[in-house]
Amino acid sequence: MPPKLNVHNFPRPPLLEKTPRHLQIKWNNHLIAETKDAYWALETTHPPTYYLPPDSILLPLTRSSHKSFCEWKGAATYWSISNPGNDSEVVKNRIWSYEKPTKDFESIKDYLSFYAGPWDCYVDGEKVEPQPGDFYGGWVTSDIEGPIKGGPGTWGW
């Protein structure tokens, strides 16, 4: 079992580094992304956010008009994807990327990050839980410990 990672020991501003962990995203038993060549961002009180290379995404994405801004990474672009088991179901704004990230995050230019749902996300075969709330996109695994930002009463952290 990997050592525990306490989210309160993660840095602020966040640390971006390559991770050799095996990431998979499955939707209705269809593999939609897989890689061992991702980055993770580690930020105080947050579980890791994973950024997958564009060539690891196995379904087409459509750019959304939604935008947001991260004080560390810059302007985010959001994407839509069709359910591989039901083409009439399109999920919007649950995948994002940085087309022109800030200098410290240039390594993740065009890499894609997925919220942990409606699909199932896996890290080294373990199904992840989503970070609490619906704003942040961290993935919680059994090696993550400590109170996590995102749920009710945590905005001031």
Side-chain angles (χ1 to χ4, degrees):
M1 175 173 238
K4 293 285 187 178
L5 301 170
N6 189 306
V7 297
H8 290 265
N9 292 335
F10 293 168
R12 186 165 172 85
L15 170 68
L16 180 69
E17 63 183 12
K18 278 287 210 178
T19 179
R21 300 187 88 172
H22 183 203
L23 307 180
Q24 293 179 304
I25 302 172
K26 298 177 182 179
W27 196 8
N28 294 329
N29 297 316
H30 295 273
L31 185 67
I32 64 171
E34 181 171 30
T35 190
K36 291 182 180 178
D37 188 34
Y39 285 89
W40 66 0
L42 305 177
E43 181 177 357
T44 306
T45 71
H46 296 267
T49 303
Y50 292 92
Y51 293 89
L52 289 71
D55 64 1
S56 71
I57 312 306
L58 305 175
L59 292 178
L61 302 177
T62 304
R63 182 187 310 271
S64 163
S65 61
H66 184 68
K67 302 279 185 195
S68 69
F69 186 81
C70 171
E71 65 184 307
W72 310 114
K73 298 174 210 85
T77 299
Y78 286 79
W79 302 90
S80 299
I81 189 171
S82 294
N83 183 333
N86 176 3
D87 288 339
S88 65
E89 180 186 357
V90 176
V91 172
K92 298 178 180 179
N93 307 327
R94 304 291 292 168
I95 304 167
W96 73 96
S97 65
Y98 296 94
E99 295 175 290
K100 295 179 182 175
T102 60
K103 186 176 183 226
D104 289 342
F105 290 86
E106 288 174 342
S107 299
I108 59 168
K109 179 184 183 319
D110 298 327
Y111 274 54
L112 296 133
S113 191
F114 287 68
Y115 282 93
W119 34 75
D120 296 321
C121 302
Y122 297 86
V123 175
D124 294 332
E126 178 186 350
K127 185 177 175 185
V128 308
E129 294 294 325
Q131 183 169 359
D134 198 39
F135 183 74
Y136 301 107
W139 294 8
V140 181
T141 52
S142 60
D143 58 343
I144 300 299
E145 65 181 10
I148 295 172
K149 184 175 182 174
T154 65
W155 280 98
W157 291 8

